[in-house]
């Protein structure tokens, strides 16, 4: 087996293991309103709060307005990202036009153009740390963190060598100028709720 073959075999094992873990999570008596994802081989379960959902809606609606109702934009749908057992369920993920699921029925991280995560207290370190690095390694061109505790958004662009080279911070209430990015829109934050 060559090095490339080894990587493919390792990816298949990781995908199989993630499939098994997610199947087990689906059978667990998880309280309604909780979401689960796997970051670096660890399972995280967080409640969906109204503040969280309010921000997600205010991100998704302008994307649908810009690209139409048939745009491939999801919330809380599993996408496997580079790294050790990363089965993420981003708060918002927009796929490129024409994206298709792989042979296992999963969306491919190579098709992700935009990700937004809304901070939860218990998992904030994931969004600012390993998830940010995995999105950069996957070369997701635009990553947005909305932090209702800080009342601030962090916009990451220009992934290179496994990290983002540009970060812009905008306080809630100011517009996010995402023109010139894959979204090519102005995202208003004046109605983003705070915690």
């Amino acid at each position: 087996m060559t090095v490339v073959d080894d990587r493919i075999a390792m990816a298949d094992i990781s995908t199989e293991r993630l499939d098994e873990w997610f199947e087990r999570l689906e059978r667990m008596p998880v309280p309604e309103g909780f979401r689960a994802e796997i970051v670096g081989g660890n399972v995280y379960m967080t409640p969906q709060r109204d503040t969280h959902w309010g921000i997600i809606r205010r991100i998704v609606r302008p994307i649908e307005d810009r690209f139409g109702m048939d745009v491939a934009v999801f919330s809380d749908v599993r996408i496997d990202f580079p790294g050790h057992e990363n089965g993420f369920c981003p708060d918002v993920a927009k796929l490129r036009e024409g994206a298709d699921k792989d042979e296992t029925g999963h969306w491919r991280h190579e098709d992700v153009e935009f990700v937004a995560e809304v901070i939860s207290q218990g998992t904030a370190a994931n969004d600012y740390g390993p998830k940010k690095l995995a999105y950069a390694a996957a070369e997701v061109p635009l990553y947005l963190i909305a932090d209702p505790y800080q009342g601030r958004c962090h916009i990451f662009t220009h992934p290179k060598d496994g990290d983002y080279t540009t970060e812009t911070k905008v306080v809630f209430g100011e517009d996010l100028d995402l023109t010139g990015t894959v979204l090519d829109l102005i995202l208003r934050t004046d109605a983003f709720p705070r915690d």
Side-chain angles (χ1 to χ4, degrees), residues 100-143:
D100 288 315
K101 292 183 178 180
D102 65 18
E103 62 280 350
T104 65
H106 297 106
W107 293 107
R108 299 167 358 104
H109 68 79
E110 294 89 349
D111 293 329
V112 178
E113 292 185 323
F114 167 70
V115 170
E117 297 286 4
V118 180
I119 295 298
S120 296
Q121 282 185 325
T123 58
N126 287 340
D127 296 330
Y128 286 109
K131 289 175 81 172
K132 179 176 87 88
L133 296 177
Y135 294 144
E139 297 185 357
V140 174
L142 179 59
Y143 175 39

Side-chain angles (χ1 to χ4, degrees), residues 88-175:
F88 300 164
C89 299
D91 290 321
V92 179
K94 181 198 174 293
L95 306 181
R96 69 172 177 79
E97 188 175 333
D100 288 315
K101 292 183 178 180
D102 65 18
E103 62 280 350
T104 65
H106 297 106
W107 293 107
R108 299 167 358 104
H109 68 79
E110 294 89 349
D111 293 329
V112 178
E113 292 185 323
F114 167 70
V115 170
E117 297 286 4
V118 180
I119 295 298
S120 296
Q121 282 185 325
T123 58
N126 287 340
D127 296 330
Y128 286 109
K131 289 175 81 172
K132 179 176 87 88
L133 296 177
Y135 294 144
E139 297 185 357
V140 174
L142 179 59
Y143 175 39
L144 166 67
I145 294 176
D147 191 328
Y149 301 98
Q150 294 180 2
R152 181 181 308 157
C153 291
H154 300 259
I155 303 104
F156 299 94
T157 57
H158 304 98
K160 183 178 179 183
D161 299 328
D163 204 353
Y164 286 97
T165 60
T166 305
E167 177 183 4
T168 305
K169 297 176 186 177
V170 176
V171 297
F172 284 14
E174 294 181 10
D175 290 347

